[in-house]
Amino acid sequence: MPGMDHGSSAPSSSSSAATADFNDADVMFAQMMIPHHEQAVEMSDMVLDKEGIDPGVLTLASDIKAAQQPEIDQLQSWLEEWGADSDTGSMEGMDHGGGMMSGDDMAALEAATGAEASRLFLEQMTMHHEGAITMAQDEVDNGQNPDAIAMAQTIIDTQTAEIATMQELLAQL
């Protein structure tokens, strides 16, 4: 069968495993997920800096930030190891697989206060997560690098659970 000999010389460390096998889908996943995660961290920072935010929303925003910043760092590391362009700024304005907030969306979140900020964060982050899940599913379906595929599956699992939490929190506001 074609492709069955790809693992014949097994890498000795996880670092070399990350560079062993990768394809265009892996590179695209990393390049698109970095700015997507960066925006989620920015949105979380916005809501964490506000007064009168629902405690469940604050916990969720902290959890999102704690999960996504290390993933950003790992994705950047992979791009470097793969010799791929990590300047995702050149992709400014792209939809990044969906779920990216517009400048107006970000301004509305920045301006919102109290319960309105909590509601807006939950609604926007739900859409944002749905976009990330779509990108991650594309990586699971089309990627080659086992570490990137594993991260994508973690993103799917984590963010699906967070969407359920956000829906519960929205119902309580």
Side-chain angles (χ1 to χ4, degrees), residues 20-77:
D21 287 322
F22 68 94
N23 63 13
D24 289 345
D26 297 315
V27 172
M28 182 67 73
F29 169 69
Q31 288 175 331
M32 291 175 61
M33 194 59 76
I34 290 168
H36 203 272
H37 273 15
E38 286 171 342
Q39 188 177 62
V41 169
E42 182 182 355
M43 292 167 69
S44 296
D45 281 339
M46 278 187 202
V47 81
L48 288 167
D49 286 343
K50 296 182 181 294
E51 298 291 323
I53 301 299
D54 181 89
V57 172
L58 293 174
T59 298
L60 181 68
S62 293
D63 290 349
I64 289 169
K65 194 173 166 183
Q68 294 196 17
Q69 187 59 54
E71 288 176 351
I72 291 167
D73 297 341
Q74 181 63 66
L75 291 161
Q76 289 170 331
S77 173

Side-chain angles (χ1 to χ4, degrees), residues 146-159:
D147 294 335
I149 293 168
M151 178 188 285
Q153 188 60 56
T154 297
I155 289 169
I156 292 167
D157 297 343
T158 302
Q159 294 194 14

Side-chain angles (χ1 to χ4, degrees), residues 75-93:
L75 291 161
Q76 289 170 331
S77 173
W78 285 337
L79 287 174
E80 188 176 308
E81 289 176 25
W82 296 337
D85 183 10
S86 62
D87 179 19
T88 54
S90 63
M91 299 172 65
E92 201 76 23

Side-chain angles (χ1 to χ4, degrees), residues 88-153:
T88 54
S90 63
M91 299 172 65
E92 201 76 23
M94 280 187 58
D95 191 17
H96 298 294
M100 289 293 283
M101 296 298 109
S102 69
D104 288 347
D105 293 331
M106 295 297 280
L109 181 58
E110 182 68 39
T113 58
E116 174 64 12
S118 294
R119 183 192 61 76
L120 200 53
F121 174 80
L122 293 170
E123 290 172 353
Q124 289 181 346
M125 193 59 77
T126 296
M127 290 184 351
H128 201 266
H129 274 19
E130 288 168 350
I133 289 168
T134 299
M135 285 191 294
Q137 187 62 56
D138 185 59
E139 170 62 13
V140 168
D141 294 344
N142 301 305
Q144 180 176 340
N145 182 272
D147 294 335
I149 293 168
M151 178 188 285
Q153 188 60 56

